[in-house]
Amino acid sequence: MTESIRRPAGELEAAVLSALWAAERPLTPPDVQQALDTPLARTTVATILARLHDKGTVRRTRAGRAYAYSPAVEDHAALAAHRMHSELDKEHDRPGVLARFVSRLTTDDEALLRSLLEQAAVPGDPG
Protein backbone atom coordinates (compact mmCIF):
# COMPACT_ATOMS: atom_id res chain seq x y z
CA MET A 1 0.00 0.00 0.00
CA THR A 2 1.46 3.34 -1.05
CA GLU A 3 0.93 6.42 1.04
CA SER A 4 0.31 9.66 -0.77
CA ILE A 5 2.81 12.36 0.06
CA ARG A 6 1.17 15.40 1.63
CA ARG A 7 2.71 18.76 0.95
CA PRO A 8 2.56 21.47 3.58
CA ALA A 9 -0.40 23.85 3.17
CA GLY A 10 2.00 26.78 2.87
CA GLU A 11 3.66 25.19 -0.14
CA LEU A 12 0.31 24.70 -1.88
CA GLU A 13 -0.80 28.22 -1.01
CA ALA A 14 2.46 29.59 -2.43
CA ALA A 15 1.94 27.66 -5.68
CA VAL A 16 -1.62 28.95 -6.01
CA LEU A 17 -0.52 32.52 -5.28
CA SER A 18 2.25 32.23 -7.86
CA ALA A 19 -0.32 31.15 -10.46
CA LEU A 20 -2.51 34.14 -9.57
CA TRP A 21 0.44 36.56 -9.70
CA ALA A 22 1.40 35.23 -13.14
CA ALA A 23 -2.13 35.63 -14.51
CA GLU A 24 -3.28 38.84 -16.09
CA ARG A 25 -6.88 38.31 -15.01
CA PRO A 26 -8.80 36.76 -12.11
CA LEU A 27 -8.79 32.96 -12.25
CA THR A 28 -11.45 30.41 -11.36
CA PRO A 29 -10.44 27.24 -9.51
CA PRO A 30 -10.27 25.26 -12.80
CA ASP A 31 -8.08 28.03 -14.30
CA VAL A 32 -5.74 27.83 -11.29
CA GLN A 33 -5.73 24.03 -11.46
CA GLN A 34 -4.66 24.22 -15.11
CA ALA A 35 -1.97 26.83 -14.38
CA LEU A 36 -0.31 24.74 -11.65
CA ASP A 37 2.69 22.56 -12.43
CA THR A 38 1.48 19.90 -10.04
CA PRO A 39 -1.73 17.90 -10.39
CA LEU A 40 -4.23 18.88 -7.71
CA ALA A 41 -7.91 18.08 -7.50
CA ARG A 42 -10.18 21.02 -8.30
CA THR A 43 -11.73 20.69 -4.83
CA THR A 44 -8.25 21.03 -3.28
CA VAL A 45 -7.58 24.15 -5.34
CA ALA A 46 -10.98 25.58 -4.37
CA THR A 47 -10.26 24.89 -0.68
CA ILE A 48 -6.85 26.58 -0.89
CA LEU A 49 -8.42 29.61 -2.61
CA ALA A 50 -11.16 29.82 0.03
CA ARG A 51 -8.54 29.72 2.81
CA LEU A 52 -6.46 32.40 1.11
CA HIS A 53 -9.61 34.51 0.80
CA ASP A 54 -10.38 34.03 4.50
CA LYS A 55 -6.84 35.22 5.30
CA GLY A 56 -7.31 38.31 3.13
CA THR A 57 -4.57 37.23 0.74
CA VAL A 58 -6.81 36.97 -2.34
CA ARG A 59 -9.97 38.75 -3.52
CA ARG A 60 -12.85 37.00 -5.17
CA THR A 61 -15.57 38.12 -7.53
CA ARG A 62 -18.53 36.27 -8.97
CA ALA A 63 -17.85 34.59 -12.30
CA GLY A 64 -21.16 32.99 -13.21
CA ARG A 65 -21.97 30.40 -10.57
CA ALA A 66 -18.39 30.27 -9.32
CA TYR A 67 -15.80 32.73 -8.06
CA ALA A 68 -12.76 34.12 -9.81
CA TYR A 69 -9.76 34.98 -7.64
CA SER A 70 -7.05 37.62 -7.86
CA PRO A 71 -4.19 38.41 -5.48
CA ALA A 72 -4.84 40.99 -2.76
CA VAL A 73 -1.08 41.32 -2.23
CA GLU A 74 1.24 42.18 -5.09
CA ASP A 75 4.30 40.03 -4.38
CA HIS A 76 6.15 37.86 -1.85
CA ALA A 77 7.34 40.86 0.19
CA ALA A 78 3.78 42.19 0.48
CA LEU A 79 2.58 38.70 1.44
CA ALA A 80 5.18 38.45 4.22
CA ALA A 81 4.23 41.92 5.48
CA HIS A 82 0.54 40.95 5.40
CA ARG A 83 1.28 37.83 7.46
CA MET A 84 3.35 39.81 9.96
CA HIS A 85 0.53 42.33 10.43
CA SER A 86 -2.02 39.51 10.80
CA GLU A 87 0.04 37.83 13.50
CA LEU A 88 0.65 41.11 15.29
CA ASP A 89 -3.06 41.95 15.22
CA LYS A 90 -3.87 38.64 16.95
CA GLU A 91 -1.77 39.45 20.01
CA HIS A 92 -2.92 41.30 23.11
CA ASP A 93 0.66 42.20 24.10
CA ARG A 94 1.56 44.12 20.95
CA PRO A 95 4.46 46.02 22.61
CA GLY A 96 5.90 42.73 23.88
CA VAL A 97 5.69 41.09 20.45
CA LEU A 98 7.33 44.07 18.76
CA ALA A 99 10.05 44.23 21.43
CA ARG A 100 10.90 40.55 20.95
CA PHE A 101 10.86 40.95 17.17
CA VAL A 102 13.21 43.93 17.29
CA SER A 103 15.52 42.23 19.79
CA ARG A 104 16.23 39.47 17.25
CA LEU A 105 17.07 41.79 14.33
CA THR A 106 20.59 41.80 13.00
CA THR A 107 22.52 45.05 13.09
CA ASP A 108 21.95 45.48 9.35
CA ASP A 109 18.22 44.78 9.67
CA GLU A 110 17.97 47.23 12.56
CA ALA A 111 19.68 49.95 10.50
CA LEU A 112 17.38 49.23 7.56
CA LEU A 113 14.29 49.35 9.78
CA ARG A 114 15.42 52.68 11.28
CA SER A 115 15.93 54.07 7.78
CA LEU A 116 12.52 52.86 6.61
CA LEU A 117 10.82 54.35 9.67
CA GLU A 118 12.55 57.68 9.07
CA GLN A 119 11.44 57.64 5.41
CA ALA A 120 7.86 56.82 6.41
CA ALA A 121 7.69 59.73 8.88
CA VAL A 122 6.19 62.73 7.13
CA PRO A 123 6.87 66.16 8.71
CA GLY A 124 3.71 67.54 10.28
CA ASP A 125 2.00 64.13 10.23
CA PRO A 126 0.87 63.20 13.76
CA GLY A 127 0.90 59.47 13.04
Side-chain angles (χ1 to χ4, degrees), residues 59-108:
R59 295 181 192 97
R60 68 181 180 193
T61 55
R62 277 282 180 198
R65 293 175 58 186
Y67 286 108
Y69 295 84
S70 59
V73 293
E74 54 275 357
D75 55 27
H76 289 284
L79 176 61
H82 175 81
R83 288 178 176 158
M84 291 166 69
H85 279 286
S86 294
E87 289 302 314
L88 189 58
D89 290 344
K90 292 177 191 175
E91 294 298 325
H92 298 294
D93 183 15
R94 193 177 186 103
V97 172
L98 285 171
R100 287 181 187 259
F101 176 76
V102 169
S103 72
R104 295 193 63 197
L105 292 176
T106 64
T107 304
D108 289 343

Side-chain angles (χ1 to χ4, degrees), residues 9-85:
E11 181 181 315
L12 296 176
E13 288 180 0
V16 168
L17 274 171
S18 290
L20 292 174
W21 282 324
E24 296 190 14
R25 62 179 174 80
L27 300 179
T28 62
D31 295 333
V32 173
Q33 181 186 26
Q34 187 175 14
L36 294 173
D37 291 336
T38 59
L40 292 176
R42 193 169 72 222
T43 54
T44 301
V45 173
T47 298
I48 293 166
L49 287 165
R51 288 180 181 162
L52 289 170
H53 179 261
D54 291 344
K55 294 176 181 179
T57 309
V58 300
R59 295 181 192 97
R60 68 181 180 193
T61 55
R62 277 282 180 198
R65 293 175 58 186
Y67 286 108
Y69 295 84
S70 59
V73 293
E74 54 275 357
D75 55 27
H76 289 284
L79 176 61
H82 175 81
R83 288 178 176 158
M84 291 166 69
H85 279 286

